[in-house]
Amino acid sequence: MNFDQSQALFRRAAAVIPGGIYGHTTPAATVPGAVPYFAAEGFGCRYRDVDGNVFIDFMGGYGPLVLGYHHPEVEAAAHAARQLGAAFNHPTPLLVELAEKLTQRIDFADWAVFAKNGADLTNWSIMVAREVTGRPKILKIRGAYHGTAAWCTPGHGGLIPSDRVDIADFPFNDITALEALFAQHRGQVAGLILTPFHHPAFADSVLPTPEFVAACNRLCREHGALQILDDVRCGFRLTADGSHSLYGYKPDLAIYCKALANGHPISACVGRASHKAAASRVFLTGSYWSDPAPMAAALATLDIIAREQIPQRLALLGQRFVDGFLALGKKHGVDLIASGPPAMPYLRVKDDPSFMRTQALCTAIVAQGVFIHPHHNWFISAAMTEADIDEALRRIGIAFDSLPTTPHFAS
Amino acid sequence: MNFDQSQALFRRAAAVIPGGIYGHTTPAATVPGAVPYFAAEGFGCRYRDVDGNVFIDFMGGYGPLVLGYHHPEVEAAAHAARQLGAAFNHPTPLLVELAEKLTQRIDFADWAVFAKNGADLTNWSIMVAREVTGRPKILKIRGAYHGTAAWCTPGHGGLIPSDRVDIADFPFNDITALEALFAQHRGQVAGLILTPFHHPAFADSVLPTPEFVAACNRLCREHGALQILDDVRCGFRLTADGSHSLYGYKPDLAIYCKALANGHPISACVGRASHKAAASRVFLTGSYWSDPAPMAAALATLDIIAREQIPQRLALLGQRFVDGFLALGKKHGVDLIASGPPAMPYLRVKDDPSFMRTQALCTAIVAQGVFIHPHHNWFISAAMTEADIDEALRRIGIAFDSLPTTPHFAS
């Protein structure tokens, strides 16, 4: 497997783009030189890069492609809507249908709004919490990703002190720290924003303890703060009705994006009737937001997710993958740590603080045509069959065989 | 003309969406009850609403549809790219082609990045200015629109004092005020952000004086601050190579969006080589940004804009429209004020501080099947012919005839 075309394109890109490729698709986030840099075509749960290499895709565009590339029903719905037009002066009836669909589907949701990026609505949600409460402070999980706005970006560039004077963070699952922040900022906390489970990059995923979920619910209620669930990455992958229902959160606002429309650009925020008037006072708009095609894609995707019990399917396929991957590690004498729900698993080599051995393993796996990421959780696709999982595992077995020595293959 | 279906849909919307319809497409921004609320289908420079009313469209989705609905060459390019896939793990080669196209087209541009919303990149641009300079302060034009982020939203809801401690504003074209701000914040100004001309809602457009442009160029250079041109609304409508070239600005960063891809969701920021390393340090990413279809649409749109001299065409059509509209006002004894470049004109009734007479005139015009906005600049479409302009003027003449009395028709 070679990446000559990828690397030639990257040299062209580097001449006209800061960093060559920016954001979550930058090769620097994976293992430079060991992965493709440019995609050519996707089909089902596989894609081909610009050098003609084909991969079984365990990243799915970092989440959006829950049903795989080119799902026929989703694409037909989007295509039909696109024939109507785009970027109208007004919304189309699909706006109403999609808001009705989400409010029927999600138990606590009385209303919905739509944007393009998940971050459009995480940013808006903290303004809604401030408008509802008349308070400034936002509590967030340390290391959680909510977008690249100055109040929350994981980057370091371009920040100034005033960006975060009203943001306070604490470790996931740490009830004592959360209680301390509510006490420290008594009467000043507008909202708590968190992801359903903790899925940082460069670290294991962490599921919430029932006690932590209960504490979030109780403390927000006691202190009159809004609970904001950033379900951008997980939403509609773990359940068909929002991830709060799996873990027991009682959110006031929830934000969805990645799996909402199988890759078509749309995000959603839903909320409770008691906050609807305040939400209407926080101005929200964007150039392309009346575009009907992503709304049609979302309606189709939501139907398929419920009708075909996609979350259950992802969980079963994911469990098969994780079990098989762990067994291969055991067979080859490599201790592995698996974390996160099986539908969005993450595996790494144990006792590997530098990620060097995890990177070496991932590099060997990518070289066998299975695209996984060494530092970011993976995404099972509903376009996968058990045979695809087994084929991926077969190739991962070859990758283990190819490692120079085990268990210290990258030492 | 009735809006029964629009109003029925709006009642459904109001049950499940804060405000029913939010953002710039809200009926509350125009004249409630006098305009359609929901679109059904667009074709060329016309669209049909859900009640079957057809309008000659002078808003173009508030800017994106520079070539009209369903431009065949743009749609074919987008469709071909969409067949490759969406939301990949990597960009496609179209990312490189588009960055190369913009850096070749725009004289000062050495690099480009792409996002979805214009605001994704106005927000990013001020972070880049802060990263380049190590300073916090941003100067902006009072009343200018750069998006709905807390630092700049025209809304009032959800704001807290810390949002704008490092933002200072001043009136457009006011050199003395700009000099005073640079003096007051000496050594603290990271950047000046402004639109090429001033196009606020609920006010006349204002073209920049040559002296103001020269002062912006000089003061940014003298004080080591970045000049950021928010060309989201104007870019590629007034010239084929960015609006700075028309007025003489020397920007360091410029942001494009609306006309960039004829309605397909993409925005761009371009900049100079001297700021490229700093730009690469300001993290920028979004779920759907590797999607190739909007990049293909942008490449096609940029080609057509240059090849068919679209800005010249829009200027000629716009001048014909403005001249004809003013002549109709004169004929009917209604003093009108026209402002803005003819490609993006705005007309209102003179001596009408409450906008009541302007609203009444617009309502009468919309009732004749010509969609214009009483409080926001309009957009000429390249899909219009001289015959479409003349047909619109004929209908506007009927609208003037229909007004109860002139010149005090709405008194």
Side-chain angles (χ1 to χ4, degrees):
Chain A
M1 189 173 289
N2 80 67
F3 301 115
D4 293 350
Q5 293 301 316
S6 267
Q7 290 176 5
L9 276 161
F10 188 81
R11 284 189 292 274
R12 279 172 60 193
V16 290
I17 297 171
I21 295 172
Y22 48 92
H24 65 280
T25 61
T26 177
T30 58
V31 180
V35 294
Y37 295 176
F38 288 89
E41 188 169 5
F43 32 94
C45 65
R46 288 172 170 77
Y47 72 99
R48 194 175 66 243
D49 71 11
V50 290
D51 285 283
N53 306 305
V54 174
F55 299 89
I56 304 175
D57 185 4
F58 282 84
M59 293 307 293
Y62 290 71
L65 294 161
V66 61
L67 305 176
Y69 297 92
H70 292 300
H71 189 282
E73 185 175 336
V74 176
E75 293 311 302
H79 184 73
R82 193 172 293 114
Q83 297 309 103
L84 302 177
F88 285 107
N89 298 325
H90 323 282
T92 69
L94 292 166
L95 171 78
V96 185
E97 292 175 36
L98 185 54
E100 289 174 343
K101 171 84 72 183
L102 286 180
T103 56
Q104 287 156 11
R105 175 79 61 93
I106 300 165
D107 54 4
F108 74 91
D110 298 311
W111 54 260
V113 297
F114 305 97
K116 286 285 164 218
N117 306 304
D120 297 334
L121 294 173
T122 55
N123 296 340
W124 183 73
S125 73
I126 69 169
M127 294 176 72
V128 171
R130 288 165 172 169
E131 178 69 13
V132 166
T133 60
R135 303 170 183 173
K137 299 287 179 192
I138 299 294
L139 310 185
K140 69 182 285 291
I141 304 296
R142 194 166 301 152
Y145 182 74
H146 302 296
T148 63
W151 70 269
C152 63
T153 180
H156 300 286
L159 297 181
I160 59 172
S162 63
D163 288 330
R164 299 187 180 181
V165 294
D166 289 304
I167 306 290
D169 65 7
F170 67 102
F172 192 76
N173 270 342
D174 188 335
I175 298 170
T176 306
L178 177 60
E179 286 175 333
L181 283 179
F182 268 113
Q184 181 186 344
H185 301 291
R186 183 170 296 276
Q188 292 299 305
V189 177
L192 161 66
I193 186 167
L194 77 174
T195 54
F197 72 91
H198 192 42
H199 42 59
F202 289 93
D204 294 333
S205 292
V206 185
L207 301 186
T209 64
E211 295 75 19
F212 178 67
V213 174
C216 291
N217 293 341
R218 174 178 57 80
L219 289 164
C220 283
R221 193 175 59 246
E222 284 179 7
H223 290 271
L226 273 66
Q227 186 186 110
I228 305 168
L229 199 68
D230 177 347
D231 212 358
V232 164
R233 198 183 297 182
C234 310
F236 310 119
R237 284 189 166 271
L238 305 181
T239 69
D241 62 350
S243 309
H244 66 289
S245 71
L246 181 64
Y247 296 118
Y249 295 102
K250 305 285 186 194
D252 296 293
L253 302 170
I255 299 117
Y256 306 98
C257 176
K258 287 180 184 282
L260 178 58
N262 203 46
H264 291 265
I266 187 167
S267 57
C269 180
V270 303
R272 296 180 186 271
S274 50
H275 305 136
K276 193 176 171 197
S280 75
R281 295 194 298 270
V282 182
F283 192 52
L284 178 70
T285 198
S287 295
Y288 307 113
W289 295 5
S290 64
D291 190 3
M295 297 186 186
L299 284 162
T301 302
L302 288 167
D303 278 350
I304 295 162
I305 284 171
R307 187 182 73 219
E308 301 187 4
Q309 302 190 303
I310 295 299
Q312 293 90 323
R313 177 173 171 76
L314 297 177
L316 287 171
L317 289 167
Q319 194 64 57
R320 187 181 185 96
F321 183 64
V322 170
D323 289 347
F325 202 139
L326 289 172
L328 286 167
K330 193 163 188 179
K331 176 179 164 194
H332 289 83
V334 179
D335 282 343
L336 298 172
I337 303 289
S339 60
M344 301 168 61
Y346 176 62
L347 282 87
R348 65 170 177 87
V349 179
K350 194 177 175 183
D351 301 328
D352 182 33
S354 71
F355 285 87
M356 290 285 283
R357 290 195 291 158
T358 300
Q359 290 172 356
L361 176 59
C362 281
T363 295
I365 290 171
V366 169
Q368 295 301 322
V370 175
F371 192 73
I372 59 173
H373 196 293
H375 320 125
H376 187 293
N377 76 272
W378 311 333
F379 299 91
I380 304 296
S381 164
M384 291 171 176
T385 61
E386 294 191 351
D388 291 316
I389 296 288
D390 293 346
E391 172 63 17
L393 291 169
R394 188 186 68 80
R395 297 184 190 190
I396 292 169
I398 298 172
F400 271 108
D401 286 334
S402 76
L403 293 171
T405 60
T406 53
H408 299 293
F409 46 83
S411 62
Chain B
M1 190 174 286
N2 80 66
F3 302 115
D4 293 351
Q5 293 301 316
S6 265
Q7 290 175 6
L9 276 162
F10 188 80
R11 285 189 291 273
R12 279 172 59 192
V16 290
I17 298 171
I21 294 172
Y22 47 93
H24 66 280
T25 61
T26 177
T30 58
V31 180
V35 294
Y37 295 176
F38 288 89
E41 188 170 5
F43 31 94
C45 66
R46 288 172 169 78
Y47 73 99
R48 195 175 66 243
D49 72 12
V50 290
D51 286 282
N53 306 305
V54 174
F55 300 89
I56 304 175
D57 186 3
F58 282 84
M59 292 308 293
Y62 291 71
L65 294 161
V66 60
L67 305 176
Y69 297 92
H70 292 300
H71 189 282
E73 186 174 337
V74 175
E75 293 311 302
H79 184 73
R82 193 172 293 113
Q83 297 309 104
L84 301 177
F88 285 107
N89 298 326
H90 323 282
T92 69
L94 292 167
L95 171 78
V96 185
E97 292 176 36
L98 185 54
E100 289 174 343
K101 170 85 72 181
L102 286 181
T103 55
Q104 288 157 9
R105 175 78 61 94
I106 299 166
D107 53 5
F108 74 92
D110 298 311
W111 54 260
V113 296
F114 305 97
K116 286 284 164 219
N117 306 303
D120 296 334
L121 294 173
T122 55
N123 296 340
W124 183 72
S125 73
I126 70 169
M127 294 176 72
V128 171
R130 288 165 171 167
E131 178 69 14
V132 166
T133 61
R135 303 170 183 173
K137 300 287 179 191
I138 299 294
L139 309 185
K140 69 182 284 291
I141 304 296
R142 195 165 300 153
Y145 182 74
H146 302 296
T148 62
W151 69 270
C152 63
T153 179
H156 300 286
L159 298 180
I160 58 171
S162 64
D163 289 329
R164 298 187 182 181
V165 294
D166 289 304
I167 306 291
D169 64 7
F170 67 101
F172 193 76
N173 270 342
D174 189 335
I175 298 170
T176 306
L178 178 58
E179 286 175 333
L181 283 179
F182 269 113
Q184 181 187 342
H185 301 293
R186 182 171 296 276
Q188 292 300 305
V189 177
L192 161 66
I193 186 167
L194 77 173
T195 54
F197 72 92
H198 191 41
H199 42 59
F202 288 92
D204 295 333
S205 292
V206 185
L207 300 185
T209 64
E211 294 75 18
F212 178 68
V213 174
C216 290
N217 293 340
R218 175 178 56 81
L219 289 164
C220 283
R221 193 175 58 246
E222 284 179 8
H223 290 269
L226 273 67
Q227 186 186 110
I228 306 168
L229 199 67
D230 177 347
D231 213 358
V232 165
R233 198 183 296 181
C234 311
F236 310 119
R237 284 190 166 270
L238 306 181
T239 69
D241 62 351
S243 308
H244 67 288
S245 71
L246 180 65
Y247 297 118
Y249 294 103
K250 305 286 187 195
D252 296 293
L253 302 170
I255 300 118
Y256 306 98
C257 177
K258 287 179 184 282
L260 178 58
N262 204 45
H264 291 265
I266 188 168
S267 57
C269 180
V270 303
R272 297 180 186 271
S274 50
H275 305 136
K276 193 176 171 197
S280 75
R281 295 194 297 270
V282 183
F283 192 51
L284 178 70
T285 199
S287 295
Y288 307 113
W289 296 5
S290 65
D291 189 3
M295 296 186 186
L299 284 163
T301 302
L302 289 167
D303 279 350
I304 295 163
I305 284 171
R307 188 182 73 218
E308 301 187 5
Q309 300 191 304
I310 296 298
Q312 293 90 324
R313 175 174 173 75
L314 298 177
L316 288 171
L317 289 168
Q319 195 65 57
R320 186 181 186 94
F321 183 64
V322 171
D323 290 346
F325 203 138
L326 289 172
L328 286 167
K330 193 163 188 179
K331 176 180 164 194
H332 289 84
V334 180
D335 283 343
L336 298 172
I337 303 288
S339 62
M344 301 168 61
Y346 176 61
L347 283 85
R348 65 169 176 88
V349 179
K350 194 177 175 184
D351 301 328
D352 181 33
S354 71
F355 285 87
M356 289 286 282
R357 291 196 289 159
T358 300
Q359 290 173 356
L361 176 60
C362 281
T363 296
I365 290 170
V366 169
Q368 295 301 322
V370 176
F371 192 74
I372 59 173
H373 197 294
H375 320 125
H376 187 293
N377 76 271
W378 312 333
F379 299 91
I380 304 295
S381 163
M384 291 173 177
T385 62
E386 293 190 353
D388 292 316
I389 296 289
D390 295 345
E391 172 63 16
L393 291 170
R394 188 186 69 78
R395 297 183 190 191
I396 291 169
I398 298 171
F400 271 108
D401 287 334
S402 76
L403 294 171
T405 61
T406 55
H408 299 293
F409 48 82
S411 63

